[in-house]
Amino acid sequence: MAITRIKTSGVYGSKYNDVLAGLPGVMPAPTAADGGTGTTATVSFTAVSGATSYTAISTPGSLTGTAASSPVTVSGLTTGTAYTFQIAATNTSGQGAYSAASNSVTPEVPGAYESIASFVGTGSAGNITFSSIPSTYTHLQIRMSALTTSSGFNAEIRFNGDSGTNYAWHNIRGTGSAVQPNGVASVAQIGGTWPNGTTTTNPSVLIMDIHNYASTTKFKTIRNINGQETNSNGMMTVGSGMWSSTSAITTILINMGGGALTTTSAISLYGIKG
Amino acid sequence: MPTTYTLISSSVLSSPAAVVSLTSIPATYTDLVLRASMRTANSATSIGLTIQYNTYAPSFGSNTNYSRTRILGNGSTVTSATMIDREAYFAGEINAATSTANTFSSFEMYIPNYADSSQMQTARGFLCQENNGNTAFINATATLYNLTTAVSSIFVFPNTTTDFVVGSSFRLYGILKS
């Protein structure tokens, strides 16, 4: 096969590259990115004329991936290891030489816990609604740190605007001096699981889990833990609740019962993948 | 940056199963979280949920390495009980065949320092069984695996011979100290 000498010019003068006749030339260094799986990376590049495919190779490991166009995915990488990649074009005459190295990337396993939405108190009375909840997660979790501007509110929860008597809830409540069981069925909301508001500087806390919220074959069972400390007497609650519906949850309404959250309060909705 | 909450294993039953095995758990995380939504085929309203580490022994032989203390509420009473030197961790009651249709129990188990072989394995569980009625079961539990052995497998099964039904789901997450 013939060898062709190609002259190129740059800021440091001219140089010559000997390439096999017909093979693609050396490509510019590609750009690499984490593939988002923990074991892959994507290598992006500018296409060259006449190429039929492109091959990326890793350092370390010499793992390769091939594609007809940008980007090339390289698989089999080790999570937490830093890699660079070179790219080479192939045409009907064969594969050209590899480019200079890309930027360095470190594949990481994607997190399963993401924020969906958050509400910060305004000091004004009003209910809180999380709407247009995507169905792309497996579980939902509500986390609340709440302090009200007036005493004696009791928040309740409904799903998808359903105000029918399709809910039940139960809990175990400890007050520091007694333990109380509670529970009702065929009611219009999940209640009794939220600590009362206070007018002190001590916010109530709550974590509520809703498994398989997007299922269309299961009734929705929730679990929650919440507590209220007022530096004089407190209340600790573990509870459960049910919405007797096989509809996927797309909206969560938290009825504040006329209470107003202070501007230091926050209720956040998270999605857990899986 | 390392992520802190990562899915390790996911099992959604497409056919009934007597046990769900979460094996080859990597030791690279700090804590484990098991989340499950389940129901069994046993002809009862509820049935016990059982968990073992590392070795699956459903016949409940001589293994006596588990203790558990729980608070149980059913809507009208609250009780507490302890089980010591037992064959498994008994996490509480879950829905069974005569429960209201479409009801699945919700369970979370948190196992801190699961890969530490210098201490015994303590975990907490929170299991809720709602049945669209006045009675429900809320189990808040603490459990001890009294061996200084890292947890590398978790076996989840009903404590009576029966199956988890189709649609029951079991997901194991790892939390990484960052």
Side-chain angles (χ1 to χ4, degrees):
Chain A
M1 185 172 287
I3 296 177
T4 299
R5 172 156 290 185
I6 298 173
K7 179 181 180 181
T8 56
S9 297
V11 294
Y12 300 110
S14 299
K15 64 178 182 180
Y16 293 90
N17 290 321
D18 291 339
V19 298
L20 292 175
L23 291 180
V26 176
M27 298 175 64
T31 300
D34 183 1
T37 67
T39 58
T40 60
T42 57
V43 182
S44 301
F45 52 86
T46 301
V48 296
S49 178
T52 55
S53 66
Y54 301 87
T55 299
I57 188 168
S58 73
T59 300
S62 298
L63 297 163
T64 60
T66 300
S69 61
S70 179
V72 171
T73 298
V74 179
S75 303
L77 306 177
T78 300
T79 303
T81 297
Y83 291 90
T84 60
F85 299 88
Q86 297 166 276
I87 190 77
T90 296
N91 62 18
T92 54
S93 297
Q95 179 178 309
Y98 280 109
S99 69
S102 70
N103 56 300
S104 176
V105 295
T106 303
E108 298 287 358
V109 177
Y113 195 100
E114 295 180 350
S115 174
I116 297 175
S118 187
F119 174 86
V120 177
T122 63
S124 300
N127 297 332
I128 298 160
T129 301
F130 293 114
S131 59
S132 301
I133 298 170
S135 61
T136 49
Y137 298 96
T138 305
H139 314 301
L140 296 178
Q141 187 173 83
I142 296 172
R143 289 178 173 261
M144 178 182 81
S145 173
L147 187 65
T148 59
T149 57
S150 59
S151 62
F153 91 92
N154 192 19
E156 298 167 332
I157 189 167
R158 288 176 177 162
F159 301 115
N160 293 10
D162 182 5
S163 58
T165 54
N166 298 314
Y167 302 85
W169 58 263
H170 301 78
N171 67 33
I172 303 167
R173 181 175 295 168
T175 63
S177 58
V179 180
Q180 306 161 346
N182 300 281
V184 294
S186 300
V187 292
Q189 65 282 315
I190 294 173
T193 56
W194 303 71
N196 290 330
T198 74
T199 54
T200 71
T201 56
N202 312 322
S204 305
V205 297
L206 173 139
I207 299 175
M208 174 181 286
D209 284 289
I210 311 170
H211 282 186
N212 297 132
Y213 72 102
S215 170
T216 55
T217 60
K218 295 180 179 180
F219 286 0
K220 307 303 178 294
T221 299
I222 71 164
R223 290 177 289 102
N224 63 81
I225 300 178
N226 56 70
Q228 174 195 13
E229 272 291 344
T230 61
N231 204 28
S232 59
N233 52 47
M235 186 157 49
M236 176 67 204
T237 304
V238 291
S240 65
M242 168 167 284
W243 180 39
S244 301
S245 171
T246 56
S247 298
I249 293 173
T250 57
T251 301
I252 298 174
L253 169 70
I254 301 173
N255 183 340
M256 301 303 292
L261 291 177
T262 67
T263 55
T264 59
S265 301
I267 301 179
S268 298
L269 178 67
Y270 296 90
I272 301 173
K273 295 178 179 177
Chain B
M1 252 333 245
T3 52
T4 59
Y5 201 107
T6 303
L7 179 68
I8 296 174
S9 176
S10 176
S11 176
V12 181
L13 299 185
S14 57
S15 59
V19 60
V20 172
S21 303
L22 305 166
T23 59
S24 301
I25 299 170
T28 49
Y29 297 95
T30 309
D31 305 332
L32 296 177
V33 178
L34 171 63
R35 291 175 174 271
S37 170
M38 71 222 128
R39 177 185 176 100
T40 74
N42 185 269
S43 56
T45 301
S46 63
I47 194 169
L49 176 67
T50 311
I51 291 170
Q52 290 177 329
Y53 298 142
N54 297 344
T55 302
Y56 176 48
S59 58
F60 296 149
S62 58
N63 184 336
T64 56
N65 295 320
Y66 300 85
S67 296
R68 183 223 66 189
T69 298
R70 78 170 172 180
I71 300 171
L72 168 64
N74 63 12
S76 58
T77 61
V78 180
T79 59
S80 181
T82 293
M83 303 173 81
I84 298 173
D85 294 337
R86 296 299 296 267
E87 307 87 346
Y89 160 40
F90 297 95
E93 291 77 15
I94 60 175
N95 296 95
T98 57
S99 291
T100 301
N102 304 315
T103 54
F104 286 70
S105 300
S106 177
F107 178 58
E108 181 186 85
M109 181 180 182
Y110 192 90
I111 312 171
N113 297 317
Y114 70 100
D116 188 341
S117 57
S118 67
Q119 62 182 23
M120 296 179 182
Q121 305 296 336
T122 300
R124 63 170 169 80
F126 185 13
L127 173 62
C128 292
Q129 187 246 60
E130 282 279 355
N131 192 29
N132 195 30
N134 290 324
T135 298
F137 293 99
I138 302 169
N139 276 278
T141 53
T143 185
L144 177 69
Y145 181 51
N146 59 14
L147 297 176
T148 54
T149 304
V151 176
S152 58
S153 300
I154 300 173
F155 302 94
V156 187
F157 54 102
N159 70 352
T160 299
T161 302
T162 188
D163 289 336
F164 291 119
V165 302
V166 170
S168 296
S169 60
F170 305 82
R171 292 177 171 88
L172 183 67
Y173 298 87
I175 296 177
L176 186 64
K177 185 186 298 178
S178 59

